[in-house]
Amino acid sequence: MPFFIRNKRRGGNNRKKLGGRKTQEKRKTDTKSQQLEKRGKFAPDLDEEITSEEEEEYAKNKKVVEEEEELEEETAQEKKVRLARQYLKQLQEQRAQDEEDKLDDEAIRTRLREDVLEASGKLRKKVADSYLEPEAGDLKVLRSKKQRLSVTCIAVSTDEKYVFSGSKDATLVKYGINGEKLGTVLRGRKDAKDAHIGHCSHIYSIAVSSDGKFLASGDASGYIHIWNPETLEHLKTFKKHRGAISGLSFRWGTHTLFSSSHDRMVMVWNLDAMAFVENLGGHQDAITGLDAFMRESCITSGGRDQSVIVYVLVEDKQLRFSGHHDSIDGVKLINERTFVTYGQDGYLALWTTLKKRPHFVVKAAHGYQNNGLPNWLTAVATLINTDIMASGSMNGYVRLWKIDTDGHRSLKPLFSIPVPGVINSLAFTTSGSHLLVGVGQEHKMGRWYTEKSARNSVVVIPLKKK
């Protein structure tokens, strides 16, 4: 064989050997993840369509391989540090969870204690000393051109979004707590069938259910109208009382409505069925005020019979109290066991259901008139289950009081807020952040006194704390 042919073959073999050696070196330099990709362990086929699930599986497997590579390169010392950090992190997470559980347990225990005290009528949150005296510039006046006569009654929704007011011109107005006017129900008219679209006489009382589903209003003709508070849509009319509706109150957490009237009767209504339930008597004169809270009972003031009656429905009994020297014009619960009354004698009286006479009386709580007679108290509001209350009079002042029932059982004045006009109605918001005042030029029940400089309106008093 010729020499040049043998050399050509040797060159070919050498190239083949070199090529094989290079391939082996390249394989050695491949990383573990690349080898796995080449083997098809988690690498997708480029010619096939890749789904989102396959992409997630690919990323997951790749991450696992990378973590395995990192762990293989990790020294023994680094492993100890890593495990120690993981353990510390677990301890911190466990401690944070324990603290959170502890706070939750304490909040639950506090709430349960409050529920027990509330049900027994012993809950009393001490907040009176934390309030600051409002400045005149903080007051906000809500007025409607369609409500031109004296505001007689107001109510605030439990969520504090809405304020409702009734007036002597038989108009019902809905405001937002910030002052915007949201709706109006004008004076109603009677058709041939005597059907009411709205009130046709002075509105004297108003109430909202605790869940905000029903609004009730009562007038001088004995009509009670039920409305949807959100839309002011008329839902129902009740007419069983033979006198003016002097008080309306919902039992908390229910749709049970209590109504009182100048016909000396208390009636119970079920608004789920829109039906009358029962009639309660007991007073010897026109009933002037009514209140109710959580228990299946209500409390009323009897005007010139100078008595207060607690109607306990489940036991079918009445508890009677007396102590004023003139007409009792209203009553408000502080909790299930404590209440206050006010009247034409200028008295502001503090009571408990354990005693038939008042524990404490503030005589001439709003001072005296020029003729030497005490100023007539016309409205009272209590912030339920707390130690603060407010009173109003014909002298154009709202006074806030601290209720002390721990030992001396007394009422201590905190400060006075000038609101020109006759204070016909008062109401706290649920949180105690605002006090609402229904103001008129005249008393809601008559025209014995007129303050022409007053503005018929709803006044919003923000209550700031220290």
Side-chain angles (χ1 to χ4, degrees):
M1 183 181 293
F3 176 75
F4 68 89
I5 295 175
R6 285 199 305 270
N7 287 342
K8 187 175 181 181
R9 287 179 179 175
R10 282 180 194 165
N13 292 334
N14 290 338
R15 281 195 298 269
K16 186 175 181 181
K17 289 180 181 179
L18 289 173
R21 194 176 295 125
K22 287 181 181 179
T23 303
Q24 291 173 4
E25 291 175 357
K26 187 176 181 182
R27 286 176 181 171
K28 288 180 182 179
T29 58
D30 281 345
T31 63
K32 187 176 182 179
S33 60
Q34 290 172 332
Q35 291 174 19
L36 289 170
E37 287 182 19
K38 287 183 178 181
R39 291 173 196 166
K41 185 173 182 180
F42 55 79
D45 189 347
L46 298 177
D47 294 334
E48 296 179 1
E49 184 180 352
I50 302 173
T51 65
S52 59
E53 293 180 357
E54 290 174 342
E55 288 181 354
E56 291 177 1
E57 184 68 19
Y58 173 77
K60 183 178 178 181
N61 291 334
K62 188 173 182 179
K63 185 177 179 182
V64 170
V65 171
E66 290 174 351
E67 288 177 353
E68 290 177 355
E69 290 175 357
E70 290 177 0
L71 291 176
E72 286 178 0
E73 297 174 359
E74 187 179 44
T75 65
Q77 183 63 28
E78 289 174 341
K79 183 176 181 180
K80 290 180 181 179
V81 173
R82 178 176 59 81
L83 293 175
R85 286 176 178 171
Q86 288 181 356
Y87 180 65
L88 288 174
K89 186 177 179 181
Q90 290 175 357
L91 288 178
Q92 290 173 352
E93 291 176 352
Q94 184 63 41
R95 186 177 299 173
Q97 185 63 38
D98 291 344
E99 290 292 331
E100 186 176 346
D101 293 343
K102 184 178 179 181
L103 290 174
D104 290 342
D105 291 343
E106 184 60 32
I108 292 170
R109 283 195 293 268
T110 301
R111 183 58 187 167
L112 288 173
R113 283 196 297 268
E114 289 184 355
D115 289 344
V116 171
L117 291 172
E118 189 174 41
S120 63
K122 296 179 181 179
L123 180 61
R124 195 171 302 106
K125 299 177 182 178
K126 296 183 178 181
V127 299
D129 291 331
S130 64
Y131 282 100
L132 297 172
E133 183 174 355
E135 298 180 1
D138 295 335
L139 276 61
K140 184 183 295 184
V141 179
L142 312 183
R143 294 191 69 192
S144 172
K145 293 180 180 179
K146 297 178 181 179
Q147 198 171 57
R148 292 175 291 180
L149 299 183
S150 296
V151 174
T152 57
C153 53
I154 55 175
V156 188
S157 61
T158 306
D159 58 10
E160 304 184 10
K161 289 183 179 180
Y162 309 127
V163 180
F164 302 92
S165 68
S167 66
K168 281 191 171 184
D169 55 15
T171 303
L172 189 65
V173 179
K174 174 184 176 182
Y175 299 97
I177 193 68
N178 295 320
E180 61 274 21
K181 192 176 72 172
L182 302 177
T184 304
V185 178
L186 298 176
R187 184 185 183 92
R189 295 181 179 180
K190 296 181 180 181
D191 62 15
K193 296 181 180 179
D194 197 31
H196 280 64
I197 299 174
H199 290 284
C200 297
S201 57
H202 303 344
I203 301 175
Y204 283 152
S205 54
I206 192 169
V208 187
S209 62
S210 56
D211 62 358
K213 288 189 176 181
F214 295 106
L215 171 70
S217 56
D219 63 26
S221 302
Y223 283 91
I224 299 173
H225 291 294
I226 310 299
W227 316 85
N228 181 335
E230 290 288 339
T231 62
L232 293 182
E233 175 191 0
H234 186 260
L235 302 177
K236 187 72 174 180
T237 298
F238 297 126
K239 181 64 173 78
K240 286 187 76 70
H241 282 291
R242 293 175 294 172
I245 307 299
S246 58
L248 291 169
S249 183
F250 282 93
R251 181 186 170 201
W252 186 268
T254 73
H255 295 151
T256 299
L257 175 67
F258 298 99
S259 63
S260 63
S261 171
H262 289 179
D263 63 6
R264 301 179 293 176
M265 293 295 174
V266 175
M267 293 189 182
V268 186
W269 312 84
N270 183 344
L271 296 195
D272 288 324
M274 288 295 175
F276 169 76
V277 177
E278 62 179 317
N279 193 0
L280 309 173
H283 281 287
Q284 305 302 313
D285 203 339
I287 301 175
T288 55
L290 177 144
D291 200 12
F293 188 40
M294 295 183 68
R295 292 183 179 178
E296 198 171 345
S297 64
C298 67
I299 186 169
T300 58
S301 55
R304 294 197 176 277
D305 71 6
Q306 300 175 15
S307 67
V308 173
I309 295 179
V310 176
Y311 296 89
V312 185
L313 303 186
V314 290
E315 300 177 16
D316 193 22
K317 68 178 182 180
Q318 301 176 5
L319 307 177
R320 188 179 295 270
F321 306 84
S322 60
H324 280 260
H325 297 292
D326 207 334
S327 175
I328 304 177
D329 281 2
V331 59
K332 284 292 178 181
L333 291 168
I334 298 169
N335 54 38
E336 296 288 7
R337 295 177 58 182
T338 314
F339 59 94
V340 290
T341 57
Y342 60 96
Q344 295 180 22
D345 53 9
Y347 282 16
L348 188 59
L350 177 65
W351 310 69
T352 69
T353 55
L354 303 176
K355 189 178 179 181
K356 298 297 183 181
R357 307 288 289 183
H359 281 280
F360 189 81
V361 175
V362 181
K363 297 181 179 180
H366 278 254
Y368 293 88
Q369 304 177 42
N370 294 330
N371 57 12
L373 296 175
N375 280 308
W376 182 353
L377 269 64
T378 52
V380 158
T382 58
L383 185 55
I384 203 76
N385 288 328
T386 70
D387 62 344
I388 192 168
M389 60 166 286
S391 62
S393 175
M394 297 179 71
N395 69 341
Y397 278 88
V398 173
R399 284 191 174 178
L400 269 73
W401 305 79
K402 178 183 177 181
I403 307 164
D404 181 10
T405 55
D406 290 335
H408 298 89
R409 288 193 172 91
S410 62
L411 296 170
K412 300 177 182 178
L414 294 175
F415 44 80
S416 296
I417 307 166
V419 182
V422 180
I423 312 301
N424 283 320
S425 185
L426 291 166
F428 282 99
T429 55
T430 308
S431 65
S433 60
H434 294 82
L435 175 63
L436 286 302
V437 186
V439 185
Q441 294 181 342
E442 304 168 351
H443 189 278
K444 64 180 182 180
M445 301 302 298
R447 305 189 67 180
W448 308 284
Y449 175 83
T450 302
E451 180 57 61
K452 293 184 179 180
S453 61
R455 304 171 72 184
N456 299 317
S457 59
V458 175
V459 178
V460 181
I461 304 175
L463 298 176
K464 299 177 181 179
K465 295 185 178 181
K466 298 176 184 177

